Amino acid sequence: MDVEAKKIAYVTISDTLACVNLGIVLSLSALLAITTSFILGVFVLGTYVLGVTLFYFLLKKRVAVGNLLSIFTGENSTNEKCQNEKCQNTTGCNICGDGSCNRSKEPLYEAIRHGEIMINAELDESIESLLNRILQDFVESWYSQISSDKAFELELRHCLRRACTIVLQRGLQINLAETIFVKLLPAAVNHLEDYLIIREMSQNQRIPFVRAAVQHLGTRLHPATFNRDRELDYLRQITECVLPSLVAQSQLQCQNFHALMRELIAGWVLLPLADVLADPSILNSLLLLLLGHQQLTQYKDVDNEPKVKFLEKFVDYSPKYSSALHPDLSNILNNQKLLYAFMQFLKAERSVHILQFCLDVEEFNRKMLTPDISSEEKELLYKDAMDLYSVYFNPESPDNIGLPSDIVHSMKEVLTEDVGKLRTSPPLFEAINHAYRLLENKLCPLFHASDDFFRWLAGPRVLTTGVRSGTRPNRRPTENVGAVARISSRLHKIKGVLRGPVEGHTFDSDPGIDLVDSEYAEDLQLSDSTDRNLSVWSVSIPAVKTKLDASSKPYSVFYIEIQKVDALKEDDSEKSHWKVERRYNDFYALEAKLIEFHGEFPDNQLPPRRMLLFSAPSAQFLESRKQVFEDYLKKLLSKPSLRGSDLLFAFLRVPGEFSEMNSSPDALSRLLRRTVPLTLRKERGQHLEPFLNGFFSSTEGKKTSKLEYKDVSQESPPVRDIRNIIGPIFQNNFNLTEESAPCSVDSSRTNMCSPLLGPIIQQGGFTSSLIHIGLVVYNMSKSSLRVALSIQALIGSTLDAILSYFVGRALKTLLVAPRLAHLTHLLQGAIFNSKSAHWNSMEIEERAGRELDQFCSKYWLAKLAAPACKGAFCAVQSPQLNKQLLYVLLDLVIEELFPELSHS
């Protein structure tokens, strides 16, 4: 800032106007000293020097003088307010004082108290109608076809209520007039300047308006205006950034819920809302209403109008749905294990003090109902009552339970008189009823959807998946295993009694595997057990031969000889020595199935498959693969985890084509009898989606060739209704891709502002924007600009404060609850009835232009502002530029509502 002050001082000294002013003062002082009095001449010159010195020290470390009204009102400046807010944010936990503790940051009972905001009943009804319409069109329309359970919809309603309440609370803390003047108005004036430059470029260079806008804005072009897909992606990213501040972290851990909330807010609320706010026809219609003769005082904010809790009916829209699996509060308090789970949930949500209040009041009532109470006991009761008040009733206490102010005041009055009156006075009973309502109506439904409740109901969550080859299942503690399981864990010592494991389970001697799991996985067939011990088999591929299929088409097969090592002393029979035929693709099918059930074998893999598109493999190629396939099979037989494999047994034992064997009903029956029970029992319902997909694919028939004739006479499946976000108004925005996005700015005429105006514009404010408009629209001269900047530097902040005060009062008068309710209904109609509305854009634009001309010709102040008003009217007629301005303003509003995003 020192550099800017020196620059202004230098420019002021070197300015011709300043030199003329100094000459006039010196001449006047000399004239007065000669003609009138020497003292008078010195006084005039000294006054001038004193004034220059005074303002030099005032502007030494700043560009402009601050708000002079703060001297009389005692209000802090904006920087001091920001510093105070930072100090408040840097304070630690109000429970233990630790700065790293977050127990007091957004506790659950504070989130519950969000619903205690009292607003106008008509406004609450309009917001509820809008949210109901959103859920009805975008959630209930498809969810009703899936389930009739209202629990998910009710949870979504609670989430939307919480989000709307937080936005409302943050919005009420914002100084709307100051935000408009400091942030939004300068952005709008910059947009007006850009429009005037773009219009001039389009006329001089004879290029389309949209192309000129892209060339001028360059990298300042908002990413959301590139195309409609980028716009939707931008809204999704904005929603993802804002959701952690609006939704509980426990809900965001569910990816499905997170995606649903993101798409619901971004795609079905913000995107149509952006189209409505940037539509030139709607903006022209609003201008017609503003310039019309309708009176705006038809809505009156009456303090005696009924007020209700914010969106209370929205979450209580239907009767309570009770479930036998959801115990009520009384059952929770009477069950020790369930009470422990409930307390763990309350600790996690930082609301255990509500339950503690109920227990403390119960103990206090037990002491107070004693028939004969001595004076010492009365003093102890009084201390206990004061402790109850200071901890749970006092609004400044971190453990207060959010009691209404009338209950707190009544309790305080009773304590000042006599503690014995608490036996019959209502404050204590009303407080305990309030706490029980919080536990029963707010916390219990949340507890029924928590991990603590499901852990109590169904046991701990199972995180292990199916066991693959090379891994060992989780061992259970020996003391928790039953006697039958401990006996069965040692049955592996009796060789040849149990059959080999099913696919997907290791052939292991782990003593932690229960017989309970094995009996569901494999039938205990004691006969012919050695026939499945593949480790005693030896294989070889002696030859590759060519055969003819049914259509006399030649194909090649590998002859595989299998010999049992432990049966060499016996006769050469079919049980000890046999041959099978396998094609080239059968080996890769075996490898794929083994990887699916047992995992990969890094030390034993087949070479990459050769794509044989138009001809059969040559004999020379198959001879080169013979030794490779033989070594592959030998290594598979040497692995302990595969010595009981059904897949490898079928590949080496069962004749016929291996691919047809896997899709046969016998294979499906083996899958249902062995693999499925083990998988479902081990995973306990986890990872059902990939299992069901594999199960459905196994039930399908053999796929036909791509060249098979397709019956086009069959009825085709219904075409999916895909949303088209490219409309007739905005088209595809600026229709830019990642490759065609601008990477530089056209520097031919990027800024009309003088270098002196830069620091002033950065400060914001109405006077700065007014000077900017004068320079952009009225082409102010340098002398006029310097005079305006001098006045703005002296009294600009004071004028901004005065205008902000009066505009704030005007907005408070205009934005009353009935008018806001009416605007909410209009917004709902614009979002959901946009397809049925037919706007004659040309006619509305002409009418709005005529009304604006008539308005500017009536009043002298309007005549003075006519060029700026007409320029702004022409600027809003471009839908693409309207989107540019809208998203620039949206970024500023989000930054104001969620300042933590700018620091993240």
Side-chain angles (χ1 to χ4, degrees), residues 424-444:
T424 57
S425 59
L428 192 60
F429 298 102
E430 292 178 355
I432 193 66
N433 290 334
H434 174 81
Y436 271 107
R437 283 196 300 268
L438 284 180
L439 293 173
E440 181 74 28
N441 301 329
K442 305 293 184 180
L443 291 169
C444 282

Short mmCIF file of all heavy atoms in Angstrom, two decimals, residues 424-444:
data_model
loop_
_atom_site.label_atom_id
_atom_site.label_comp_id
_atom_site.label_asym_id
_atom_site.label_seq_id
_atom_site.Cartn_x
_atom_site.Cartn_y
_atom_site.Cartn_z
N THR A 424 -43.45 -29.57 42.96
CA THR A 424 -44.74 -29.31 42.32
C THR A 424 -44.65 -28.34 41.14
O THR A 424 -45.60 -28.24 40.36
CB THR A 424 -45.72 -28.73 43.35
OG1 THR A 424 -45.15 -27.54 43.93
CG2 THR A 424 -46.00 -29.75 44.45
N SER A 425 -43.53 -27.63 41.01
CA SER A 425 -43.42 -26.65 39.92
C SER A 425 -43.11 -27.37 38.61
O SER A 425 -42.42 -28.40 38.59
CB SER A 425 -42.34 -25.62 40.24
OG SER A 425 -41.10 -26.28 40.42
N PRO A 426 -43.61 -26.83 37.49
CA PRO A 426 -43.44 -27.53 36.20
C PRO A 426 -42.07 -27.42 35.54
O PRO A 426 -41.81 -28.22 34.63
CB PRO A 426 -44.51 -26.86 35.32
CG PRO A 426 -44.72 -25.51 35.90
CD PRO A 426 -44.49 -25.65 37.37
N PRO A 427 -41.17 -26.49 35.85
CA PRO A 427 -39.94 -26.36 35.03
C PRO A 427 -39.12 -27.64 34.94
O PRO A 427 -38.68 -28.01 33.84
CB PRO A 427 -39.16 -25.25 35.75
CG PRO A 427 -40.16 -24.47 36.48
CD PRO A 427 -41.21 -25.44 36.89
N LEU A 428 -38.93 -28.32 36.07
CA LEU A 428 -38.10 -29.53 36.04
C LEU A 428 -38.77 -30.64 35.23
O LEU A 428 -38.11 -31.37 34.48
CB LEU A 428 -37.81 -29.98 37.46
CG LEU A 428 -36.73 -31.06 37.61
CD1 LEU A 428 -35.41 -30.55 37.06
CD2 LEU A 428 -36.57 -31.47 39.06
N PHE A 429 -40.09 -30.77 35.36
CA PHE A 429 -40.81 -31.81 34.61
C PHE A 429 -40.84 -31.48 33.11
O PHE A 429 -40.72 -32.37 32.27
CB PHE A 429 -42.23 -31.95 35.16
CG PHE A 429 -42.28 -32.38 36.60
CD1 PHE A 429 -42.52 -31.46 37.61
CD2 PHE A 429 -42.05 -33.70 36.95
CE1 PHE A 429 -42.56 -31.85 38.93
CE2 PHE A 429 -42.10 -34.09 38.28
CZ PHE A 429 -42.36 -33.17 39.27
N GLU A 430 -40.98 -30.19 32.78
CA GLU A 430 -40.94 -29.82 31.37
C GLU A 430 -39.55 -30.07 30.78
O GLU A 430 -39.42 -30.47 29.62
CB GLU A 430 -41.32 -28.34 31.22
CG GLU A 430 -42.77 -28.06 31.55
CD GLU A 430 -43.08 -26.57 31.44
OE1 GLU A 430 -42.12 -25.79 31.21
OE2 GLU A 430 -44.26 -26.19 31.58
N ALA A 431 -38.51 -29.84 31.57
CA ALA A 431 -37.15 -30.09 31.09
C ALA A 431 -36.92 -31.57 30.84
O ALA A 431 -36.32 -31.96 29.83
CB ALA A 431 -36.14 -29.54 32.09
N ILE A 432 -37.38 -32.42 31.76
CA ILE A 432 -37.17 -33.85 31.57
C ILE A 432 -37.99 -34.35 30.39
O ILE A 432 -37.56 -35.24 29.63
CB ILE A 432 -37.50 -34.62 32.87
CG1 ILE A 432 -37.00 -36.06 32.80
CG2 ILE A 432 -38.97 -34.58 33.17
CD1 ILE A 432 -35.52 -36.20 32.74
N ASN A 433 -39.18 -33.80 30.18
CA ASN A 433 -39.98 -34.18 29.00
C ASN A 433 -39.29 -33.75 27.71
O ASN A 433 -39.30 -34.47 26.70
CB ASN A 433 -41.37 -33.56 29.09
CG ASN A 433 -42.22 -34.19 30.18
OD1 ASN A 433 -42.01 -35.35 30.54
ND2 ASN A 433 -43.18 -33.44 30.71
N HIS A 434 -38.67 -32.58 27.75
CA HIS A 434 -37.93 -32.10 26.57
C HIS A 434 -36.76 -33.03 26.25
O HIS A 434 -36.53 -33.38 25.08
CB HIS A 434 -37.43 -30.68 26.83
CG HIS A 434 -36.54 -30.15 25.74
ND1 HIS A 434 -37.04 -29.63 24.56
CD2 HIS A 434 -35.18 -30.05 25.67
CE1 HIS A 434 -36.03 -29.25 23.80
NE2 HIS A 434 -34.90 -29.48 24.44
N ALA A 435 -36.05 -33.46 27.28
CA ALA A 435 -34.91 -34.36 27.06
C ALA A 435 -35.38 -35.72 26.54
O ALA A 435 -34.76 -36.29 25.61
CB ALA A 435 -34.12 -34.53 28.36
N TYR A 436 -36.46 -36.23 27.09
CA TYR A 436 -36.97 -37.52 26.62
C TYR A 436 -37.48 -37.42 25.17
O TYR A 436 -37.36 -38.37 24.41
CB TYR A 436 -38.09 -38.03 27.55
CG TYR A 436 -37.57 -38.86 28.70
CD1 TYR A 436 -37.56 -38.36 29.99
CD2 TYR A 436 -37.09 -40.14 28.48
CE1 TYR A 436 -37.08 -39.11 31.05
CE2 TYR A 436 -36.61 -40.91 29.54
CZ TYR A 436 -36.61 -40.39 30.82
OH TYR A 436 -36.12 -41.13 31.85
N ARG A 437 -38.07 -36.29 24.82
CA ARG A 437 -38.51 -36.12 23.43
C ARG A 437 -37.31 -36.10 22.47
O ARG A 437 -37.37 -36.65 21.37
CB ARG A 437 -39.33 -34.84 23.29
CG ARG A 437 -40.74 -34.93 23.81
CD ARG A 437 -41.60 -33.78 23.29
NE ARG A 437 -41.05 -32.49 23.70
CZ ARG A 437 -41.41 -31.85 24.81
NH1 ARG A 437 -42.32 -32.41 25.63
NH2 ARG A 437 -40.89 -30.68 25.14
N LEU A 438 -36.22 -35.44 22.92
CA LEU A 438 -35.01 -35.46 22.08
C LEU A 438 -34.50 -36.89 21.90
O LEU A 438 -34.14 -37.30 20.78
CB LEU A 438 -33.92 -34.60 22.71
CG LEU A 438 -34.06 -33.08 22.60
CD1 LEU A 438 -32.89 -32.40 23.29
CD2 LEU A 438 -34.12 -32.65 21.14
N LEU A 439 -34.47 -37.64 22.99
CA LEU A 439 -33.97 -39.01 22.89
C LEU A 439 -34.89 -39.90 22.07
O LEU A 439 -34.43 -40.71 21.27
CB LEU A 439 -33.78 -39.59 24.29
CG LEU A 439 -32.69 -38.94 25.16
CD1 LEU A 439 -32.75 -39.51 26.57
CD2 LEU A 439 -31.32 -39.15 24.56
N GLU A 440 -36.19 -39.75 22.29
CA GLU A 440 -37.15 -40.65 21.63
C GLU A 440 -37.36 -40.30 20.17
O GLU A 440 -37.37 -41.19 19.30
CB GLU A 440 -38.49 -40.58 22.38
CG GLU A 440 -39.58 -41.49 21.81
CD GLU A 440 -39.34 -42.96 22.14
OE1 GLU A 440 -38.71 -43.24 23.17
OE2 GLU A 440 -39.78 -43.81 21.36
N ASN A 441 -37.53 -39.01 19.86
CA ASN A 441 -37.92 -38.61 18.51
C ASN A 441 -36.74 -38.27 17.60
O ASN A 441 -36.88 -38.36 16.37
CB ASN A 441 -38.87 -37.41 18.58
CG ASN A 441 -40.12 -37.69 19.38
OD1 ASN A 441 -40.60 -38.82 19.42
ND2 ASN A 441 -40.65 -36.67 20.04
N LYS A 442 -35.63 -37.86 18.18
CA LYS A 442 -34.50 -37.43 17.36
C LYS A 442 -33.36 -38.43 17.37
O LYS A 442 -32.86 -38.83 16.32
CB LYS A 442 -33.99 -36.06 17.85
CG LYS A 442 -35.05 -34.98 17.93
CD LYS A 442 -35.55 -34.58 16.55
CE LYS A 442 -36.54 -33.43 16.65
NZ LYS A 442 -37.05 -33.03 15.32
N LEU A 443 -32.94 -38.83 18.57
CA LEU A 443 -31.74 -39.65 18.67
C LEU A 443 -31.99 -41.13 18.44
O LEU A 443 -31.15 -41.81 17.86
CB LEU A 443 -31.09 -39.44 20.04
CG LEU A 443 -30.49 -38.04 20.23
CD1 LEU A 443 -30.11 -37.83 21.69
CD2 LEU A 443 -29.28 -37.86 19.36
N CYS A 444 -33.14 -41.63 18.88
CA CYS A 444 -33.42 -43.06 18.67
C CYS A 444 -33.52 -43.42 17.18
O CYS A 444 -32.96 -44.44 16.76
CB CYS A 444 -34.69 -43.46 19.41
SG CYS A 444 -34.43 -43.71 21.18
#
